[in-house]
Amino acid sequence: GQKKGSTAIQHENLSVALMKALPNLLVKFKTDSAITSSLTTLPRNLLPTVFSLPQKKADFIALAKTLSEIFLQSSDETVLKNVALSLRFLSHGDHSRAPDGRLQLKNVTQELRDRLVDLFADDILGSAGAEGGSQSKRKRRSNASSPSKRRRGASSTSSRASTADVTDDEDSGIDGATNSADTEYGIYLNLMRMRILFKRCDLSPYLQDEDGTTSSDDDGVEALCSVIADGLAQRLKARKVAPKDDGDDDNNDDDETSTKGESLWDKDVKKVAMTTAKAVDEGISLIISATAWKYREVLEQEDLVVGDDDDVIMDESSKDGEDEEVEDHLVLRLRNRAIALIELCFEQFVEDSGDEDGSVPDYTDEQIAFSVYMQTAGCGAASDLRNLFPKELAGAASPLLRAFSIKNDGRLIGGYVRCFRSKESLLRENNDADVEDKGVDDTLLLPLARTLAFNWAVGNRREAGVALAHITGSGHEASALVSALSKILKKIDPVRYLEAQMASLRQSFEDWMDNEPEEIESIHPTDEEMQAFADAEKAHKAQFQDLEQQAWKLSQSLGVGKLSKQLAPALLGFVQEGIKFAFSNSDGADDEDEWALGTRLSFLRILIKYANWAKKKKDHKQALKETLDEKELALHDHPDFGEVHEDDLAALEAFRKALGLEPTAVAKDDADATAMDASMATENEHVTPSPSTAGRYSRGSTNRSRMSSVSGLRSLSPLYEEKDDGSNDGSGEEQGEEGKDLIIEEERDEDESEDEEFSAPAPKKGKSYGRKALSTSQTTLDPYEEE
């Protein structure tokens, strides 16, 4: 007890001494970020009872003011985070100096707000002329802050990024003034400061007018977010690069976006694009933080926070008025502004290489870097929003929660998946790297996995399939992350998880088909061409082996020895869906895009990894036998059956053997005939080496790379998998015989998107399987519905 009392006295004495010495030390070493970052952590270790001592009031105020000044001047993120935490510590608690701490926090908040309003007004209102711009700026500022007096020291021009008078130009002043680089950097820096502070404490009460006349602090939050969102949206639209074909007229005035975008990039002599990109990232994070604080406030005010021990059952009287839907709310408006900015970020997508025919222009390194940064920022922000307002809330009892739920998240998912697919080669590089780049996992894979785990009750199977593809072949960290994700998905909804596996395997298989080595056009190929073809074929075979390993890992994740009661019946529908895909030869688009007959039969080698599960039950095995016999008969009767490749027929035979089924008599006879026809064709025609991969497509020598699936997407298309019936939750009525998992087709609403900017091909019918045995009324749709 004596030792404990001595320690308390020492802590109090140390707090008294530090509170007096810290302001001078902070001023002395404010130019040294390393020392300042350490000093700014100390205030959080002070004893709060010392703050209440009457003789220490001046020391407390001096410390709070010094921290505030450092926060408004520093550009080091570590220092800013430490200062923000210290200011929060000084302004919270039950000590008597907390109001003084909140006053300093309010001064910092309003100073940052005024800076941002001034910087955005200087920039986007320049087209009104010097006098008109000044008047508009004052009007704009008055909407977000009091136009009366500035706080002490706030009028100093050195405390803000310098801005100059903006004159008329074709781009409304963006990058038109000589100090545009300073303006953009000032916006970025102050957005970063405000974002850091907003993440650590609710600044909403400090954003009302100085005289407190604002009706509510909601007005101040929305006004600030509106200024930020409008300014960032204009920058994103101006920075968008619109690709043109060679035949386009460079002086075509009809394409306003392209002309303005090119003009903006051409005169970007100071390379401020990346500064703008960072500002957009900070601004979206700030808006999401403000939205989250207001969301929390609503949850507390409406008593919507439910604990584990709370009784959530509502009686009939408490439901009166609950059915009235909410169409307008501050949280909704803030959420929608953030979504709009995220979609604009996804619209910055560009291809980083041109097509062989030269139809796609080459972009500069700055444009590619800007696009990648914006895509990555959009992915992180989309993940945060979807976790904050999960789709599952659409079924909540509260009309507020139902309104807040992001029901139509197709474009957010589509933008994320497109970005992920375009950069997933970086994940694959980790597999062969001596030291894995964990930053790639944290940037691309982790946000996706986090969102899937949080929303899996109504999750998107195609989106999950993209992540599950990295259970192998992307390094140890990615494999561990996806393995952990698979356990969560299986626990929440095992049947949906099984359907996601099919989406993953089908996408990986189509990637393998797209990477078919290009045939040698020359009749007499050179040694170099032969070697290049051999290397490409070797890599192609290795890719298929990786796909088999992926299927094995996914199959093993279903269980050990015995499947759960939910998965066992669903597996029949899973394998039947895989068989149907293997025997199909069309992507459903048009006749020109059909694959050669039997091209997808190699997919049956992937399904072999699930054969042990599928043949455990006799009735399932018999059902699969009937399905295979029916498909084989239809294949045999096709007029092009003689052109089916022997490797594809071998895959069919191997699959039947894995299921414990004998080859059909038709298959035995036609296998010999096909082999004879292939031998005769080889003798009479000049063909490229290795028939195991050559000539299997009706598309001739056209070779589609792995990136072909994303290279043509110049406008963001939503990624849907289910019928858009308002709730977009895939609910429906099951049909079919008892005990059999049937394919159920359902047509999605044709009017899914009226925005030409996000135009997508007409949606196709989806399919489902595996739910009948669960005795539920929910229909699951095709885990991979092609767009």
Side-chain angles (χ1 to χ4, degrees):
Q2 183 177 0
K3 183 177 181 180
K4 184 177 180 180
S6 175
T7 302
I9 294 175
Q10 292 177 0
H11 189 187
E12 181 177 352
N13 294 335
L14 181 61
S15 299
V16 171
L18 276 177
M19 193 162 60
K20 182 176 181 64
L22 269 178
N24 294 330
L25 291 173
L26 290 170
V27 172
K28 182 177 181 179
F29 295 103
K30 66 179 181 180
T31 58
D32 191 327
S33 298
I35 297 178
T36 304
S37 62
S38 299
L39 291 174
T40 49
T41 62
L42 295 177
R44 304 198 300 273
N45 297 311
L46 299 179
L47 198 62
T49 55
V50 175
F51 301 157
S52 301
L53 298 176
Q55 62 271 28
K56 298 302 174 183
K57 179 179 180 179
D59 294 338
F60 179 90
I61 295 177
L63 176 59
K65 283 187 175 181
T66 304
L67 289 172
S68 300
E69 292 172 0
I70 291 176
F71 191 85
L72 292 172
Q73 296 172 6
S74 178
S75 60
D76 185 273
E77 189 166 359
T78 302
V79 173
L80 292 173
K81 290 178 179 179
N82 289 338
V83 174
L85 289 172
S86 294
L87 285 175
R88 185 182 186 279
F89 179 77
L90 296 179
S91 59
H92 288 69
D94 55 358
H95 57 87
S96 60
R97 300 288 173 254
D100 295 323
R102 288 193 288 271
L103 178 61
Q104 293 302 317
L105 193 58
K106 178 179 180 179
N107 290 343
V108 172
T109 301
Q110 294 188 348
E111 172 63 20
L112 291 175
R113 176 199 62 188
D114 293 346
R115 291 184 186 183
L116 289 169
V117 172
D118 289 351
L119 286 168
F120 279 115
D122 280 340
D123 198 48
I124 65 176
L125 298 176
S127 59
E131 181 179 357
S134 176
Q135 294 174 355
S136 299
K137 174 175 134 180
R138 288 194 298 269
K139 181 179 179 181
R140 182 73 166 267
R141 169 106 167 255
S142 65
N143 291 332
S145 63
S146 174
S148 55
K149 296 182 183 179
R150 296 293 298 269
R151 292 173 303 285
R152 284 186 299 173
S155 61
S156 174
T157 57
S158 62
S159 64
R160 295 194 302 272
S162 61
T163 57
D165 292 336
V166 185
T167 57
D168 293 333
D169 66 36
E170 62 182 281
D171 289 319
S172 301
I174 296 184
D175 286 355
T178 57
N179 66 333
S180 61
D182 294 336
T183 300
E184 294 300 297
Y185 184 73
I187 290 174
Y188 155 66
L189 191 58
N190 287 289
L191 282 175
M192 179 177 68
R193 291 166 177 159
M194 181 69 90
R195 185 263 303 171
I196 289 174
L197 198 57
F198 226 138
K199 276 184 175 290
R200 282 149 185 83
C201 51
D202 185 8
L203 303 181
S204 302
Y206 309 134
L207 288 173
Q208 53 184 324
D209 291 344
E210 289 182 354
D211 55 4
T213 57
T214 304
S215 58
S216 70
D217 51 272
D218 291 353
D219 297 335
V221 173
E222 186 170 16
L224 176 62
C225 291
S226 297
V227 170
I228 294 171
D230 291 344
L232 297 181
Q234 184 175 4
R235 282 160 172 76
L236 286 170
K237 292 176 181 178
R239 285 283 175 189
K240 183 179 178 181
V241 180
K244 297 188 304 180
D245 294 332
D246 292 340
D248 291 347
D249 185 2
D250 292 341
N251 296 322
N252 185 5
D253 294 333
D254 294 336
D255 193 354
E256 181 180 355
T257 304
S258 176
T259 303
K260 293 185 69 174
E262 291 169 356
S263 174
L264 178 59
W265 283 104
D266 289 342
K267 65 182 182 180
D268 192 7
V269 293
K270 293 189 177 182
K271 311 297 182 185
V272 301
M274 288 307 297
T275 304
T276 300
K278 294 177 182 178
V280 172
D281 188 13
E282 296 290 349
I284 295 177
S285 296
L286 193 158
I287 294 174
I288 293 177
S289 295
T291 306
W293 281 111
K294 301 310 298 183
Y295 182 36
R296 179 192 179 192
E297 181 180 316
V298 170
L299 293 179
E300 293 176 346
Q301 290 178 350
E302 299 295 329
D303 196 22
L304 296 175
V305 180
V306 180
D308 295 336
D309 299 330
D310 293 341
D311 185 6
V312 298
I313 300 177
M314 299 173 57
D315 55 28
E316 295 299 325
S317 60
S318 64
K319 293 183 180 181
D320 294 339
E322 289 290 329
D323 293 333
E324 183 178 354
E325 297 298 329
V326 178
E327 297 181 357
D328 183 54
H329 193 278
L330 172 65
V331 174
L332 273 178
R333 296 192 295 271
L334 294 177
R335 186 206 68 180
N336 292 339
R337 283 191 175 276
I339 291 176
L341 286 175
I342 293 170
E343 291 178 351
L344 283 175
C345 287
F346 288 143
E347 279 294 300
Q348 306 305 313
F349 180 84
V350 298
E351 301 111 49
D352 54 7
S353 61
D355 289 345
E356 293 179 359
D357 58 2
S359 61
V360 179
D362 291 330
Y363 298 101
T364 65
D365 293 340
E366 289 78 11
Q367 290 170 337
I368 294 174
F370 180 82
S371 170
V372 171
Y373 197 99
M374 287 292 85
Q375 296 288 300
T376 305
C379 288
S383 176
D384 290 339
L385 265 188
R386 291 176 62 202
N387 289 333
L388 191 61
F389 303 106
K391 196 172 183 178
E392 195 173 5
L393 289 179
S398 168
L400 273 176
L401 294 182
R402 293 198 300 269
F404 294 163
S405 170
I406 302 180
K407 306 177 190 67
N408 301 318
D409 55 357
R411 286 187 286 187
L412 293 180
I413 299 175
Y416 198 125
V417 170
R418 182 177 62 178
C419 173
F420 187 95
R421 295 275 292 154
S422 68
K423 298 301 176 185
E424 65 180 343
S425 59
L426 300 176
L427 288 167
R428 298 299 185 191
E429 291 175 0
N430 277 338
N431 198 46
D432 300 323
D434 295 333
V435 179
E436 295 185 17
D437 184 2
K438 295 182 180 181
V440 177
D441 297 324
D442 293 342
T443 303
L444 289 177
L445 191 55
L446 182 59
L448 180 60
R450 183 166 59 103
T451 305
L452 287 168
F454 197 72
N455 291 271
W456 189 237
V458 289
N460 188 299
R461 301 159 187 81
R462 293 180 61 193
E463 181 187 22
V466 172
L468 293 177
H470 293 271
I471 196 169
T472 60
S474 297
H476 175 75
E477 290 293 330
S479 179
L481 195 156
V482 177
S483 296
L485 171 66
S486 64
K487 294 179 181 178
I488 296 175
L489 302 188
K490 178 188 171 185
K491 181 178 180 181
I492 296 174
D493 192 335
V495 176
R496 186 182 292 268
Y497 171 57
L498 185 62
E499 294 165 343
Q501 288 193 15
M502 176 59 71
S504 179
L505 295 174
R506 285 177 58 172
Q507 180 61 64
S508 297
F509 181 79
E510 290 177 352
D511 288 343
W512 174 77
M513 293 178 65
D514 291 341
N515 281 337
E516 180 84 9
E518 187 174 1
E519 297 179 3
I520 301 176
E521 298 179 357
S522 174
I523 297 178
H524 302 289
T526 64
D527 292 341
E528 290 77 9
E529 290 175 329
M530 294 285 288
Q531 184 61 43
F533 184 88
D535 293 341
E537 195 174 46
K538 181 179 179 180
H540 195 237
K541 291 179 179 179
Q543 184 180 355
F544 192 83
Q545 292 173 356
D546 292 339
L547 176 53
E548 289 183 306
Q549 179 70 9
Q550 174 186 337
W552 180 82
K553 288 278 288 185
L554 291 176
S555 174
Q556 292 298 307
S557 69
L558 296 178
V560 178
K562 185 178 180 181
L563 293 179
S564 66
K565 294 181 179 180
Q566 291 176 307
L567 279 176
L571 192 70
L572 174 61
F574 173 88
V575 178
Q576 288 177 328
E577 176 70 13
I579 292 173
K580 182 177 180 180
F581 173 75
F583 278 89
S584 66
N585 66 323
S586 174
D587 57 10
D590 50 49
D591 293 337
E592 295 180 358
D593 289 334
E594 286 190 355
W595 300 99
L597 185 68
T599 298
R600 289 174 172 167
L601 285 175
S602 296
F603 188 74
L604 295 175
R605 294 191 181 275
I606 308 304
L607 289 181
I608 288 176
K609 307 303 178 183
Y610 295 84
N612 287 333
W613 299 119
K615 66 183 182 181
K616 284 183 178 294
K617 289 189 175 183
K618 292 182 179 180
D619 56 338
H620 288 184
K621 183 177 178 180
Q622 179 62 27
L624 292 176
K625 180 181 182 301
E626 294 173 359
T627 301
L628 274 175
D629 291 345
E630 179 185 354
K631 294 294 183 181
E632 282 192 55
L633 182 60
L635 179 69
H636 172 265
D637 292 340
H638 197 282
D640 295 334
F641 175 74
E643 300 177 6
V644 177
H645 199 280
E646 59 183 10
D647 287 353
D648 296 325
L649 292 176
L652 174 56
E653 181 180 355
F655 182 65
R656 293 188 68 97
K657 184 177 180 180
L659 288 175
L661 304 177
E662 293 293 333
T664 61
V666 172
K668 289 180 180 179
D669 295 339
D670 289 327
D672 297 336
T674 302
M676 183 178 297
D677 292 341
S679 176
M680 295 175 61
T682 304
E683 294 176 359
N684 295 314
E685 297 180 2
H686 293 286
V687 295
T688 56
S690 184
S692 62
T693 56
R696 299 174 66 179
Y697 302 124
S698 60
R699 298 177 180 179
S701 61
T702 301
N703 179 42
R704 299 190 303 168
S705 68
R706 174 181 290 271
M707 295 305 300
S708 64
S709 60
V710 294
S711 62
L713 296 179
R714 296 173 185 172
S715 63
L716 175 58
S717 299
L719 191 150
Y720 291 110
E721 64 164 4
E722 299 179 345
K723 179 178 178 182
D724 186 5
D725 59 356
S727 62
N728 200 21
D729 60 359
S731 60
E733 293 296 330
E734 284 286 356
Q735 302 174 0
E737 300 178 26
E738 186 67 28
K740 294 185 67 175
D741 302 299
L742 301 181
I743 305 299
I744 299 175
E745 296 188 354
E746 219 170 336
E747 205 171 83
R748 191 186 5 234
D749 189 355
E750 294 180 357
D751 188 16
E752 285 178 333
S753 175
E754 299 178 356
D755 192 345
E756 294 181 357
E757 190 174 6
F758 300 97
S759 60
K764 299 179 176 57
K765 294 181 179 180
K767 303 161 190 176
S768 66
Y769 56 87
R771 296 282 177 166
K772 181 65 180 176
L774 299 182
S775 301
T776 175
S777 61
Q778 284 193 337
T779 298
T780 60
L781 303 183
D782 187 0
Y784 193 90
E785 176 186 318
E786 296 176 333
E787 298 172 350

